Every structure is written in C-alpha cells, then in structure tokens.
Amino acid sequence: MPEDIRVTAAKWLFRHDQHFESIPPPSDFSVYAKALLCCANADGNLAPAEREWVVGYFASLGAPAPFIDDLRQYPANEDVLDLISKSSVVAMQGSRRSLLFDAIRASSADKVLHEKERAAIERLAAKLGVSSDELRALEQAHQEEERATTARVKLLFPDGVPF
C-alpha cells in the first residue's frame, strides 16, 4: 500500500477508534504488537484468528509490509513483562489501558478469552498499575462493543452477510 494510503488509513482509524488528532509515532509499534501476540499465546495456542487480528489491526494502523511480515512469523513466546520493559512509551500512562484493551481484543479474536490469556493480561495490568476493577471495565467494554457490532450487522444484513 503506498505511503499516503497507509497514512490516510491510520489517521482515520486513530480518529475513529481512539479520537486521536494525530498518528502516534510508530517507534514502539513492535513492542506493543508483540505484547498483544504474547498475551494471546499465553494459553500455549496462538490461534490463527488471534494472529490475524493483530496483523490486521497493525496493517490498518499503517504499519509497513516488512513489519507485518515480522508479525506473521513472530513466535510470541517472550515474557510479556520483559517485553514491555523494552519500551517506555508502551508502558506510559496514556498507553496502559489501550494496551490492555487491545490485549483483550486480540486474545478474544478466536471467540474465547482463555483463563491463561486472562491471567497474562491481569499480570500485565498489575505491572502497569491498572486495578482489577479497571481491567474488568475494559473487558466489559470489549464485550459490549462485540454485542453492539453483532446487533448492527444483524440490522444491516437480516438475511446474512453477503460476502
């Protein structure tokens, strides 16, 4: 995808999904994306839907092709706490809840948030100083978002999705 299209897509998604006015610097995308994959692999099974969610998400954020190729091959077997220590931006005050929410979304992409995935996310939340109540609220927000999307799709396509 040409650079201008990638930037346009990233601007739209960040504005639509997070209400950001600009695109965050991509310097810490690698640690963030790998942390999501490691959480999703905490049950010992990185489901294709989980990897596809992370790959698709970062592609929509404008990540370049070599980065996407690296994510497709990444074994996701690092300790997530060691991984995030490599980036001060990922563990920043402003990114903590977003990282946890995205970890919930990635780990649930196969329609199951396994107890070991949840435990990895809880461990990450504790390290980032996010309370268990806040984490439950993030998980609930994800569940509500999923229900709303399902309801919208049923309204738009009552006879089933065409594609």
Side-chain angles (χ1 to χ4, degrees):
M1 186 182 317
E3 183 70 24
D4 59 322
I5 300 299
R6 284 192 6 247
V7 170
T8 299
K11 282 182 183 177
W12 183 89
L13 183 61
F14 275 114
R15 187 173 36 254
H16 175 76
D17 199 40
Q18 312 266 343
H19 295 191
F20 284 14
E21 296 297 322
S22 61
I23 301 171
S27 57
D28 289 287
F29 271 17
S30 180
V31 169
Y32 193 107
K34 288 177 179 179
L36 299 182
L37 289 168
C38 288
C39 286
N41 193 33
D43 63 348
N45 177 32
L46 182 58
E50 293 168 333
R51 186 181 297 274
E52 288 169 16
W53 189 92
V54 174
V55 167
Y57 186 52
F58 279 88
S60 71
L61 294 176
F67 177 82
I68 296 300
D69 290 339
D70 288 345
L71 290 181
R72 285 189 174 114
Q73 302 304 317
Y74 177 64
N77 57 6
E78 293 182 74
D79 180 272
V80 71
L81 299 184
D82 291 341
L83 186 60
I84 66 159
S85 71
K86 297 175 183 176
S87 168
S88 60
V89 174
V90 169
M92 267 184 6
Q93 187 79 0
S95 299
R96 298 175 307 148
R97 287 173 191 82
S98 179
L99 175 63
L100 294 167
F101 185 72
D102 287 343
I104 292 165
R105 295 195 303 172
S107 298
S108 300
D110 63 349
K111 307 296 182 210
V112 176
L113 182 57
H114 190 278
E115 63 185 54
K116 289 182 180 179
E117 294 168 340
R118 180 180 276 114
I121 295 167
E122 288 171 351
R123 199 169 141 241
L124 180 58
K127 173 72 173 176
L128 295 174
V130 175
S131 73
S132 57
D133 287 344
E134 290 174 297
L135 185 58
R136 274 192 296 279
L138 291 170
E139 189 173 349
Q140 183 178 6
H142 168 67
Q143 292 165 353
E144 290 170 5
E145 190 175 88
E146 288 293 303
R147 283 191 293 273
T149 299
T150 298
R152 176 179 44 81
V153 170
K154 284 181 181 179
L155 283 172
L156 295 174
F157 306 106
D159 299 322
V161 293
F163 303 100

